[in-house]
Amino acid sequence: MSLLDALLREGALRPVDHALAQSLRRLGRETGDADDRVLVAAALASSAIAHGHAGVDLSRPQLVCDAAVEWPDADEWRQALKASRWVATPPAEDVSAQAPLVLEHNLLYLRRYREYERRLAHGLRRIAAAAPAHGDLRVLASLFAVLFPQAGDADRQARAAALSLLRSLLLVTGGPGTGKTTTIARVLLLLIAQARLSDLPAPRIALAAPTGRAAERMAESLRAAAAQMYTLGGIDSAWCDALPHTASTLHRLLGTIPDSPRFRHDADHPLPFEVIVVDEASMVDLPLMCKLVEAVPDGSRLILLGDRDQLPSVEAGDVLAAITDAAGEGDAFAPSVAQALAPLLGAVPERAGGPGALAGHRVQLQRGYRQAQSLDLAPLADALRTGDADRAIERLRVGLAGVHFHEDVSDPMAGGTRATLLSPWRALMELDDPEQALRQAQRMRMLTALREGAQGAGALNQRIEDALAGTQRDPYFHGRLLLVTENSYRHGLFNGDIGVVQHDSAGVPVAWFAGGSDGMRGFHPASLPAHTGAFAMTVHKAQGSEFDTVWLLLPRQDARTLSRELLYTGVTRARGELHLCTSEAVLRAALDRHAQRVSGLAWRLAGS
């Protein structure tokens, strides 16, 4: 039996992966190019995309396909691929310009995904190289002092704001509670003031995020920051008036074309903005980031916000991590940059600039994590982020303010935790005001690592809804939470949006979502795009959201979906209280696993 057929029999390949290899096998029989090693590699390159990788690393195929088979020797495998007409080997691509596969730096790609990487790297270098005209920054010194009274080299928020005046590409990274959106609100105010003081119109600004909920949170945070800046002395209120108050999803920003993978805005039809700010950049996959960057016009600024320690995107790529790796730690200031920033930051230590086009384009904000006075999350979050299982377990057992460790509890719907878990949702069912109900809905959420199975989001939602409204319940009972699972531009609803069902005076169910001119929009449930229950969600779906109380349930046994990034992302969704249900064995196994993504983007960006 061939290796390809053995992998299919083990269930290690999807039918579509096997179909690609079979197509090459049929075509290769005519030309004598049907080497089984090439066919297996083609199937793995296809499978890699489904696993979140940009390609397959020939020395580590088990990252894509963890099957009990004997893999070819990496060197021999590479030589077989180089000899195949199906594989292009840059820079000599012209030898097989139509080859569906590309072998580069020991990574085998589907051609399209190699092109996404290449184009994204080119686009980021293009933006980074276009230093904006900033003039004499001393004209902004008084405003900067109002916004950052403790400004200096040690103030990372002030550093990010000052650096934004010199950079067309800026990465602002940091964990929850480090002030990313507060910093960006002040960055935007500085850019508006800079233009107005030069008798220029305020820059056109776009705010965007990968999901509707993340965009909504971004806009809420910026509105709150703008309201606070109105109260500061020495700030022209007209500058605050020019700040944006709404945000959109990236798909809406770029302009979706029905039934097409392309967008209305691209390199030939760039976005009509001078400043584009993207929050939750860790959630943006490789194809979408490529298309966004290509749509940024020459001379415009792109500011990416995110936490590189969170889960990478569901789709292919770990884009934010690759970009931050290429940009370095963010402490490298060339002498010319230090000199330019001196009017705002004072004496900034001069450091040798790092290599690469993106060096000096990142600021890492100091970690905060504390979302409320009642929650001391920082020690646990740091232990999870670094994979320190001993420290994490010790912290959980000793106790942290607001953190409850339900050790060896695999079913919080049973026993003494049941009443505590269901209480906020029972209160939700007593409310008749949809806006108040959605606020109440943000108080608590159950998060899980799995979609399927007894401890998956689907089964947990079923059990919670049974407990709240009975097994013979109305499918859209009063107080049911809904999660939209696909984008619908007709409805203005997007993947990740949360709604609540309420019955009107006639007993007719109405699904309410935030938005619209009066703050709320109601839909008949039958008209909604694809959706499911939202009392329990996967950690992936919760990314970009925060809740007052989070119950994080890990599976009874170790699972491949578990990783330190998933744990870190899950626990940092909590603003005020965290309940963690797991065993020591599962916790250790999860922290021992990295959410590794195979990608060549970092080395493409590291070059000058």
Side-chain angles (χ1 to χ4, degrees):
M1 180 186 299
S2 71
L3 177 56
L4 178 65
D5 293 333
L7 290 174
L8 182 65
R9 175 169 293 187
E10 280 204 19
L13 295 175
R14 300 173 301 164
V16 67
D17 308 324
H18 189 258
L20 170 63
Q22 288 291 75
S23 297
L24 297 182
R25 174 182 279 168
R26 285 193 296 270
L27 293 170
R29 283 173 181 158
E30 302 172 5
T31 60
D33 191 3
D35 190 318
D36 192 56
R37 294 169 296 183
V38 175
L39 303 180
V40 168
L44 293 180
S46 173
S47 178
I49 306 305
H51 288 83
H53 305 288
V56 57
D57 184 341
L58 297 179
S59 62
R60 299 182 297 166
Q62 62 274 11
L63 291 178
V64 171
C65 181
D66 190 13
V69 297
E70 183 177 347
W71 298 105
D73 175 79
D75 290 335
E76 294 179 1
W77 206 354
R78 191 181 306 108
Q79 293 306 315
L81 289 166
K82 286 181 177 180
S84 173
R85 63 189 291 246
W86 309 124
V87 183
T89 54
E93 280 188 65
D94 55 324
V95 174
S96 49
Q98 301 304 314
L101 303 169
V102 179
L103 178 63
E104 192 174 16
H105 276 233
N106 203 47
L107 301 184
L108 184 72
Y109 299 88
L110 294 181
R111 175 180 283 274
R112 180 172 52 163
Y113 281 84
R114 186 262 180 175
E115 284 300 293
Y116 283 140
E117 273 196 0
R118 185 190 62 79
R119 287 160 45 195
L120 174 55
H122 173 77
L124 289 169
R125 289 196 299 267
R126 169 184 64 87
I127 297 170
H134 55 79
D136 189 346
L137 296 185
R138 284 178 291 186
V139 300
L140 294 172
S142 59
L143 172 61
F144 199 87
V146 171
L147 295 174
F148 300 99
Q150 305 299 321
D153 184 57
D155 185 340
R156 294 302 184 94
Q157 293 188 12
R159 177 190 290 193
L163 194 60
S164 71
L165 301 170
L166 305 183
R167 299 298 196 212
S168 290
L169 176 66
L170 179 66
L171 283 78
V172 180
T173 55
T178 53
K180 293 189 293 294
T181 50
T182 300
T183 301
I184 290 305
R186 299 182 181 197
V187 164
L188 297 179
L189 188 75
L190 285 167
L191 294 176
I192 291 167
Q194 184 183 44
R196 292 286 177 84
L197 291 172
S198 301
D199 295 323
L200 297 172
R204 292 170 294 178
I205 301 169
L207 307 177
T211 67
R213 179 56 190 153
E216 182 184 335
R217 277 190 57 233
M218 181 188 193
E220 289 171 354
S221 297
L222 283 166
R223 286 194 295 266
Q228 193 270 336
M229 286 191 292
Y230 274 108
T231 67
L232 299 177
I235 296 180
D236 189 331
S237 61
W239 299 343
C240 295
D241 292 341
L243 288 166
H245 297 287
T246 60
S248 74
T249 64
L250 285 170
H251 286 82
R252 171 169 280 185
L253 175 71
L254 293 170
T256 299
I257 300 174
D259 302 318
S260 171
R262 303 186 63 183
F263 292 102
R264 300 187 191 281
H265 292 288
D266 55 20
D268 296 324
H269 307 88
L271 291 162
F273 301 102
E274 285 78 47
V275 182
I276 299 159
V277 184
V278 179
D279 198 10
E280 299 290 351
S282 65
M283 299 171 64
V284 185
D285 60 48
L286 174 61
L288 184 57
M289 187 66 84
C290 174
K291 294 169 186 178
L292 167 68
V293 165
E294 289 186 329
V296 175
D298 290 338
S300 291
R301 285 177 166 88
L302 175 63
I303 302 174
L304 301 177
L305 313 178
D307 182 355
R308 68 152 295 154
D309 296 313
Q310 286 190 25
L311 279 167
S313 61
V314 175
E315 305 299 333
D318 192 356
V319 176
L320 182 64
I323 298 174
T324 54
D325 286 347
E329 293 299 319
D331 293 327
F333 272 170
S336 60
V337 174
Q339 183 178 358
L341 296 182
L344 305 181
L345 299 177
V348 179
E350 296 182 6
R351 305 179 177 94
L358 270 58
H361 289 259
R362 175 193 178 196
V363 175
Q364 171 75 18
L365 301 184
Q366 300 294 340
R367 300 190 175 276
Y369 302 121
R370 183 182 293 276
Q371 306 294 285
Q373 291 300 315
S374 60
L375 179 62
D376 183 18
L377 201 58
L380 177 61
D382 275 324
L384 298 178
R385 180 179 61 83
T386 59
D388 190 337
D390 290 338
R391 185 157 57 98
I393 292 166
E394 186 269 333
R395 294 288 188 180
L396 286 167
R397 286 173 174 165
V398 169
L400 296 165
V403 178
H404 307 275
F405 183 33
H406 304 283
E407 189 168 4
D408 296 325
V409 171
S410 58
D411 184 6
M413 287 287 291
T417 56
R418 179 184 175 90
T420 303
L421 182 63
L422 295 176
S423 176
W425 294 324
R426 294 196 189 282
L428 181 68
M429 299 174 69
E430 302 298 321
L431 300 177
D432 294 317
D433 181 333
E435 189 170 3
Q436 184 183 1
L438 278 180
R439 286 198 301 269
Q440 169 75 15
Q442 288 303 111
R443 286 187 55 193
M444 193 179 80
R445 201 62 45 91
M446 176 180 280
L447 304 183
T448 177
L450 306 176
R451 285 185 300 174
E452 309 297 336
Q455 292 176 298
L460 289 170
N461 269 306
Q462 180 83 16
R463 292 184 62 201
I464 292 168
E465 292 176 6
D466 286 350
L468 294 174
T471 56
Q472 303 300 317
R473 64 186 177 278
D474 180 340
Y476 294 98
F477 61 86
H478 188 94
R480 187 189 180 199
L481 293 182
L482 301 179
L483 171 68
V484 175
T485 57
E486 69 177 14
N487 294 334
S488 174
Y489 290 88
R490 179 170 66 89
H491 293 83
L493 296 174
F494 303 95
N495 188 359
D497 283 356
I498 299 292
V500 64
V501 175
Q502 294 201 330
H503 290 190
D504 64 16
S505 57
V508 176
V510 179
W512 292 95
F513 293 82
S517 57
D518 59 353
M520 297 297 298
R521 296 169 297 155
F523 302 88
H524 191 281
S527 72
L528 292 174
H531 58 279
T532 185
F535 294 102
M537 300 167 62
T538 63
V539 174
H540 267 291
K541 284 292 186 184
Q543 202 167 350
S545 299
E546 289 182 344
F547 310 98
D548 292 345
T549 300
V550 165
W551 285 73
L552 177 58
L553 174 63
L554 301 188
R556 292 182 178 89
Q557 297 178 328
D558 184 29
R560 288 189 63 184
T561 54
L562 292 177
S563 66
R564 66 181 65 171
E565 289 83 1
L566 182 139
L567 287 176
Y568 171 82
T569 303
V571 303
T572 55
R573 299 310 90 204
R575 280 192 296 245
E577 189 174 2
L578 170 71
H579 294 261
L580 177 59
C581 304
T582 187
S583 66
E584 177 180 346
V586 170
L587 187 63
R588 286 187 180 277
L591 291 178
D592 195 41
R593 184 180 292 112
H594 248 314
Q596 296 184 68
R597 293 289 176 87
V598 174
S599 167
L601 182 59
W603 62 257
R604 294 182 197 278
L605 291 170
S608 57

